[in-house]
Amino acid sequence: MEFDTLLSARALMGLSLVFHTFFTPLGIGLPLLLFIAEGMALKTGDQRYRQLARAWTPVVGLLFAVGAVSGTVLSFELGLLWPRFMEYAGGIIGMPFSLEGFAFFTEAIFLAIYIYGWNRMSAFAHWLVTIPIVISSALSAVFVISANAWMNTPEGFRVVDGQVVDVDPWDAMFNAAWLHEAIHGTLASYVVTGFSVAAVYAWLLWRKKPAVNARLGLQLAMAVAVVSIPLQIVAGDFAARRVAELQPVKFAAMEGQYETERGAPLRIGGIPVDGETKYAIEIPKLLSYLGYRDFNAEVLGLNDVPKEDRPNELLTHLSLQVMVGAGFALLFIAGWYWWAWWRRRKAEPGWLPGRWLSWALVASGFLSFAALQAGWFVTEFGRQPWVVYGYLRTSEAVTERDGILVFFVLFTLLYVVISIALIVALLKWPHGPKQPERLPGAAGREAESVA
């Protein structure tokens, strides 16, 4: 395989996106945990919840900084690697990116107040500050996802003599794909946060490492996980139906569907190769029903699409299988945890997960990240060969300059080093004294070290 300019640019952009979407979901989801923990402290008077929020606060600040830096790198790469795309689309999708900037600064302001206010605000006021952090972090994701959705279903403009005219930024931002992508993408952040935080606490408890209120932290994280994962599966079903309607070629690649037919079967697993999906378990007519809510609905096959307009069905299908498989595994683990807790809640008030459940919880952290990354692979691989679906091919949008392979290698090394350092830092963050710290009576005085 030759690393020409196009492949090098795609590899570098993909690498940067993987790095960005590896850490930013935690930056979106952890503010929700702060909101819940501080709210529980107010409701129950149990100050262990505030101790958890205090332990999480430095991590939220660290991930916010990582998200800001990696997002800035991506914005530069858009202009440097894809100048034709920015020339074509910059005036159309500029508004969601601008609004994302407002949301970002709102989050930054209230995050600063939150950290600074640990020693200076009442517990109620401090909890109120978490609300704009939760909302602005989620809105940042929604605005960026809206721009990505426009690339899948471009609207809000006309092309006359090869020029973009009559731009309506509101139609562009609220395009046909923005709703299902925004719901699916934002929920993914809460899924990743719930399971990855639970994975860290499960590992610390299993290894008997000192940590601040680890059992309570595990319960809180699994509460977020058990609510978000079924919602995410429902949102995934909604997203699949919208893709079937709006991007039937991507839908065919996702499902390994080669022949156009009515009553198409759902394929579980399998490898799309040589014009057929081999080794798959087929459930008759289920794909037609899942895509169109009709067991006899017609599903477009890839064989009826010109080869130059087809995505890589192998990568797209396998990515979908990983995402869906990981999602249902996470649902099973969440159900397993809470069923085990419910059975022992009275006989063992201090119940902790056993060996197998602990390992499953640790694995759930990795599975949640795998599901998220695979989901983005489906979105991006499935849109190819278009960068703006139906209007601008990826090969037409790339820079004409060469030498990008060198930057790809350098960025790969840089991201690996930074990722290892961040993961080590994140694994250490819940550590602390085995006994809960003594809290003073006055609200908010317990977090001097944070500020």
Side-chain angles (χ1 to χ4, degrees), residues 141-143 145-150 152-153 155 171-187 232 234-236 238-240 242-243 246:
V142 169
F143 289 133
I145 290 173
S146 170
N148 178 271
W150 177 85
N152 290 316
T153 56
E155 297 177 21
D171 276 354
M173 189 166 76
F174 296 109
N175 56 79
W178 86 272
L179 181 60
H180 69 263
E181 281 201 31
I183 294 173
H184 202 45
T186 307
L187 277 174
Q232 178 69 325
V234 173
F238 171 52
R242 294 295 288 161
V243 171
L246 301 170

Side-chain angles (χ1 to χ4, degrees), residues 36-47 49-50 123-124 127:
I36 295 172
E38 295 231 31
M40 289 298 294
L42 287 173
K43 180 177 175 60
T44 65
D46 186 344
Q47 291 304 305
Y49 288 106
R50 291 211 81 201
F124 181 71
W127 171 73

Side-chain angles (χ1 to χ4, degrees), residues 69-141:
V69 172
S70 59
T72 303
V73 171
L74 280 170
S75 66
F76 281 119
E77 287 183 358
L78 278 174
L80 295 173
L81 300 179
W82 312 101
R84 173 65 179 138
F85 167 72
M86 293 306 295
E87 179 186 356
Y88 192 94
I92 306 173
I93 58 174
M95 190 168 76
F97 280 124
S98 300
L99 293 175
E100 192 271 339
F102 282 110
F104 170 81
F105 286 116
T106 301
E107 182 183 359
I109 291 168
F110 282 96
L111 183 58
I113 294 172
Y114 182 81
I115 295 173
Y116 184 76
W118 268 107
N119 296 320
R120 299 167 178 84
M121 302 172 70
S122 69
F124 181 71
H126 203 243
W127 171 73
L128 287 179
V129 172
T130 65
I131 295 175
I133 300 175
V134 172
I135 294 173
S136 56
S137 61
L139 284 178
S140 290

Side-chain angles (χ1 to χ4, degrees), residues 172-305:
M173 189 166 76
F174 296 109
N175 56 79
W178 86 272
L179 181 60
H180 69 263
E181 281 201 31
I183 294 173
H184 202 45
T186 307
L187 277 174
S189 298
Y190 299 131
V191 171
V192 167
T193 300
F195 284 102
S196 58
V197 172
V200 172
Y201 278 122
W203 183 80
L204 292 170
L205 287 167
W206 177 247
R207 300 291 296 176
K208 295 183 171 53
K209 299 283 186 181
V212 177
N213 304 321
R215 192 173 67 87
L216 190 64
L218 174 62
Q219 284 189 335
L220 210 57
M222 286 307 296
V224 172
V226 78
V227 172
S228 59
I229 186 61
L231 291 175
Q232 178 69 325
I233 291 174
V234 173
D237 175 66
F238 171 52
R241 280 185 282 130
R242 294 295 288 161
V243 171
E245 176 185 351
L246 301 170
Q247 295 179 280
V249 178
K250 176 189 282 189
F251 187 70
M254 288 163 53
E255 304 295 346
Q257 180 73 26
Y258 282 96
E259 300 297 332
T260 299
E261 61 180 324
R262 292 186 176 278
L266 177 70
R267 295 174 179 83
I268 300 175
I271 303 174
V273 61
D274 298 330
E276 62 176 318
T277 302
K278 299 179 179 179
Y279 317 119
I281 300 172
E282 295 190 359
I283 303 176
K285 297 192 176 188
L286 191 55
L287 182 61
S288 288
Y289 180 78
L290 291 177
Y292 303 97
R293 288 299 187 267
D294 179 355
F295 284 108
N296 294 309
E298 183 177 277
V299 178
L300 176 70
L302 291 171
N303 287 339
D304 287 333
V305 180

